[in-house]
């Protein structure tokens, strides 16, 4: 697709060096309108339509006329300015969905989310459903991108059941973001290749359902590269502490480091080719230590030993089903995680033991696993992970200062073995059950090393797998990844 007609928004995207507006006095309407219009142009061009046929004067107020103008007194001036500048593509031919998680700007009849505001005692006219959800494709009526005119922050609700995670706003401030942050994240997903756009009648890569021109990909090459970089950062942080402890004089950086696993070892274990797990394991370097986290070790280099850890890769499965891979086992290989019935985090039915006579194992080696996905399903994360613990966590123990939590601040389920470091509700959009990205976990572990929360010895990170029990204590914040997509 020729992207040259697209407006340049590089200087408007929210990044660490170009943050969102710090105050909460009003919407940064010029920035947000430009980001909105970029996505409108992107979807329009992706369907092969001429850029000249997309008119900038087609907006909320010009489209809906008197009905829209009647709402202007109830809108904050900055929100009205945004709606005056944000383009609405023409409805004829069929209007392309604005994005994967948003159908279009709401019409006047549904702009004010009065029912949700009343339910959670929010001030009158404070909550807007700024964007409709894509109903029936991950979203439901009552969901959408909500904007709060009091604090000028936004959050995405896929359906009504999500309200309790982020409302009332004052009780959940970490889950509400400036609108430019949400829109920048959506554009980042496009540039990352996690979400792509093409003519709506063009088949998706894995025959998955498209939302207009938009297609969700299981993973992208850019995500593999980003995860390998996160792995390098973690290894560098550990090696910076390991090498001074080694008096043998080994250098910190090998000239040509070996990968974690060779292609022959991956073949012997029937690791899907291509797949995120295989790409990561074959490209991430093997460092000079053994322990990457408390009680978790590098995968064995011996092909037969690595293959013995993989209890899912040889199971019968559907053509688009990708099995979970044990990436980093526990130091004590005999420790097992109980995945009986509902305890299994793997959403793909091919890898869940649903009965006593199932071929799927209900107990597997504990450790860090890649996510299982059905590639033709939407909102999946082949780049995700599940940390399978050989014990269950307690979660809500009736103590506000203790108990393992997810990124959204909610407690992990009592008795669960695989919810640590996971998302929960996703304020930037997405299914509740989609796995957290491995890249985020590796960066979080690096932070624990850099801040000396985890100590490092000659063999790497010290401690045992029981160290993760600290998530159920007053130290729970150390075991939570901040909310993101």
């Amino acid at each position: 697709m020729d992207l040259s007609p697209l407006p340049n928004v590089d200087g408007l995207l929210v990044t660490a060096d170009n943050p969102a507006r710090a105050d909460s006095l009003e919407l940064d309407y010029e920035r947000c309108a430009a980001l909105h219009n970029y996505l409108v142009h992107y979807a329009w061009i992706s369907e092969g339509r001429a850029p000249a046929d997309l008119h900038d004067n087609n907006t909320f107020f010009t489209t809906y006329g008197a009905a829209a103008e009647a709402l202007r007194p109830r809108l904050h001036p900055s929100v009205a300015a945004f709606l005056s500048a944000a383009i609405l593509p023409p409805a004829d031919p069929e209007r392309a969905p604005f994005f994967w998680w948003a159908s279009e700007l709401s019409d006047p009849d549904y702009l004010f989310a009065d029912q949700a505001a009343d339910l959670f005692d929010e001030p009158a006219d404070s909550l807007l459903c700024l964007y409709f959800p894509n109903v029936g494709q991950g979203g439901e009526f009552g969901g959408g991108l909500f904007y709060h005119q009091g604090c000028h922050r936004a959050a995405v609700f896929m359906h009504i059941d999500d309200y309790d995670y982020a409302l009332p706003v004052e009780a959940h401030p970490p889950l509400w973001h400036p609108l430019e942050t949400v829109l920048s994240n959506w554009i980042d997903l496009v540039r990352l290749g996690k979400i792509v756009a093409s003519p709506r009648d063009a088949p998706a890569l894995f025959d998955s359902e498209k939302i207009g021109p938009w297609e969700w990909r299981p993973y992208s090459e850019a995500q593999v590269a980003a995860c390998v970089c996160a792995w390098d950062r973690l290894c560098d942080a550990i090696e910076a502490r390991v090498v001074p402890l080694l008096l043998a004089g080994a250098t910190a950086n090998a000239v040509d480091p070996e990968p974690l696993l060779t292609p022959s070892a991956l073949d012997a274990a029937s690791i899907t080719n291509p797949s995120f797990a295989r790409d990561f394991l074959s490209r991430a370097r093997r460092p000079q230590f053994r322990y990457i986290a408390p009680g978790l070790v590098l995968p064995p280099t011996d092909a037969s030993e690595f293959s013995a850890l993989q209890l899912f890769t040889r199971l019968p499965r559907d053509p688009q089903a990708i099995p979970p891979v044990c990436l980093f086992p526990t130091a004590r290989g005999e420790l097992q995680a109980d995945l009986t019935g509902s305890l299994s985090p793997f959403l793909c039915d091919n890898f869940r033991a649903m009965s006593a006579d199932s071929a799927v194992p209900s107990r597997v080696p504990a450790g860090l696993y890649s996510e299982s996905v059905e590639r033709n399903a939407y909102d999946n994360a082949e780049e995700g992970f599940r940390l399978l613990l050989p014990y269950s966590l307690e979660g809500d123990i009736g103590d506000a200062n203790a108990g393992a939590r997810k990124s959204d601040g909610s407690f992990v389920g009592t008795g669960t073995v695989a919810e640590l470091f996971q998302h929960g509700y996703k304020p930037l959009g997405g299914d509740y059950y989609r796995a957290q990205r491995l890249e985020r976990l590796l960066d979080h572990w690096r932070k624990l090393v850099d801040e000396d929360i985890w100590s490092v010895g000659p063999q790497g990170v010290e401690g045992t797998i029981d160290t993760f029990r600290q998530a159920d204590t007053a130290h729970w914040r150390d075991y939570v990844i901040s909310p993101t997509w």
Side-chain angles (χ1 to χ4, degrees):
M1 184 173 75
D2 180 14
L3 300 181
S4 58
L6 288 173
N8 185 355
V9 294
D10 290 353
L12 300 175
L13 293 171
V14 173
T15 64
D17 297 326
N18 189 30
R21 184 174 184 147
D23 65 62
S24 57
L25 300 178
E26 62 179 0
L27 171 64
D28 191 343
Y29 66 90
E30 291 181 323
R31 186 178 190 179
C32 291
L35 296 174
H36 165 99
N37 291 343
Y38 177 91
L39 285 170
V40 171
H41 277 91
Y42 196 100
W44 183 266
I45 292 171
S46 73
E47 297 217 80
R49 297 173 180 173
D53 293 337
L54 185 61
H55 303 297
D56 291 351
N57 61 353
N58 202 42
T59 69
F60 177 80
F61 289 107
T62 62
T63 298
Y64 296 111
E69 289 294 341
L71 299 180
R72 194 183 286 271
R74 300 169 62 188
L75 295 170
H76 189 278
S78 63
V79 176
F82 167 77
L83 292 173
S84 296
I87 298 172
L88 268 175
D92 185 26
E94 184 181 357
R95 182 174 291 161
F98 173 68
F99 189 62
W100 180 261
W101 290 309
S103 170
E104 59 184 335
L105 286 170
S106 293
D107 62 42
D109 289 339
Y110 296 99
L111 182 60
F112 284 89
D114 293 332
Q115 183 178 3
D118 290 344
L119 189 62
F120 291 93
D121 295 324
E122 295 288 352
D125 290 347
S126 61
L127 273 182
L128 304 178
C129 178
L130 197 57
Y131 292 88
F132 278 133
N134 284 305
V135 176
Q137 295 166 307
E140 295 179 10
F141 189 80
L145 187 154
F146 278 40
Y147 185 84
H148 196 285
Q149 295 197 101
C151 65
H152 295 286
R153 293 292 185 266
V156 178
F157 298 107
M158 301 304 292
H159 40 70
I160 292 175
D161 293 343
D162 284 347
Y163 289 176
D164 288 328
Y165 293 113
L167 288 171
V169 176
E170 60 269 21
H172 306 279
L175 300 180
W176 290 80
H177 300 276
L179 180 59
E180 61 264 33
T181 298
V182 180
L183 295 175
S184 292
N185 172 260
W186 290 0
I187 294 172
D188 285 342
L189 290 176
V190 173
R191 295 185 170 187
L192 191 65
K194 184 66 178 178
I195 295 175
V196 301
S198 61
R200 66 182 66 201
D201 57 355
L205 181 62
F206 295 105
D207 295 322
S208 59
E209 182 179 7
K210 295 172 69 174
I211 299 179
W214 301 105
E215 175 190 346
W216 182 274
R217 293 282 175 86
Y219 75 98
S220 71
E221 165 59 27
Q223 288 187 288
V224 177
C227 193
V228 171
C229 288
W231 171 256
D232 285 339
R233 291 190 291 268
L234 173 60
C235 291
D236 289 345
I238 297 172
E239 286 176 338
R241 292 158 173 79
V242 168
V243 172
L245 299 175
L246 301 177
L247 304 180
T251 59
N253 296 294
V255 175
D256 189 17
E258 296 181 354
L260 283 172
L261 288 162
T262 63
S264 60
L266 295 167
D267 287 341
S270 299
I271 307 302
T272 305
N273 186 16
S275 64
F276 181 88
R278 186 185 184 101
D279 291 350
F280 172 75
L281 290 170
S282 61
R283 291 166 55 177
R285 68 180 177 89
R286 183 167 286 270
Q288 299 182 81
F289 53 84
R290 184 174 181 230
Y291 289 85
I292 66 155
L296 295 177
V297 298
L298 300 175
T301 56
D302 181 79
S304 60
E305 291 182 34
F306 178 70
S307 183
L309 292 169
Q310 311 308 327
L311 303 189
F312 295 102
T313 58
R314 295 182 182 84
L315 293 173
R317 61 179 186 267
D318 296 333
Q320 302 290 9
I322 302 300
V325 175
C326 181
L327 305 172
F328 302 103
T330 59
R332 294 172 56 194
E334 74 277 9
L335 294 177
Q336 292 189 321
D338 183 0
L339 302 185
T340 304
S342 61
L343 290 177
S344 175
F346 302 125
L347 302 181
C348 183
D349 288 342
N350 292 144
F351 311 114
R352 295 174 66 90
M354 305 305 293
S355 63
D357 58 353
S358 172
V360 180
S362 59
R363 299 187 66 85
V364 301
L368 183 65
Y369 283 69
S370 64
E371 175 68 324
S372 74
V373 303
E374 292 178 84
R375 283 179 166 172
N376 56 351
Y378 56 77
D379 212 352
N380 53 28
E382 197 170 319
E383 75 279 8
F385 72 87
R386 303 288 179 177
L387 177 59
L388 306 187
L389 297 170
Y391 50 81
S392 60
L393 294 172
E394 294 182 348
D396 189 359
I397 56 176
D399 183 350
N401 297 314
R405 290 165 171 81
K406 290 170 279 196
S407 296
D408 64 1
S410 65
F411 290 100
V412 304
T414 300
T416 56
V417 300
E419 291 191 358
L420 195 59
F421 296 115
Q422 292 299 328
H423 285 285
Y425 161 70
K426 298 174 177 62
L428 300 179
D431 184 78
Y432 179 93
Y433 295 101
R434 172 164 39 87
Q436 178 68 264
R437 290 170 286 146
L438 179 60
E439 174 194 353
R440 292 278 291 162
L441 180 71
L442 299 178
D443 271 333
H444 186 77
W445 284 358
R446 174 184 54 81
K447 176 185 174 186
L448 296 180
V449 171
D450 283 342
E451 295 180 357
D452 296 322
I453 293 170
W454 284 353
S455 60
V456 174
Q459 295 190 67
V461 180
E462 296 181 316
T464 69
I465 196 69
D466 283 340
T467 300
F468 291 101
R469 292 183 186 272
Q470 292 182 359
D472 263 335
T473 72
H475 300 288
W476 62 267
R477 290 178 180 83
D478 296 335
Y479 297 87
V480 173
I481 297 175
S482 58
T484 182
W485 68 274

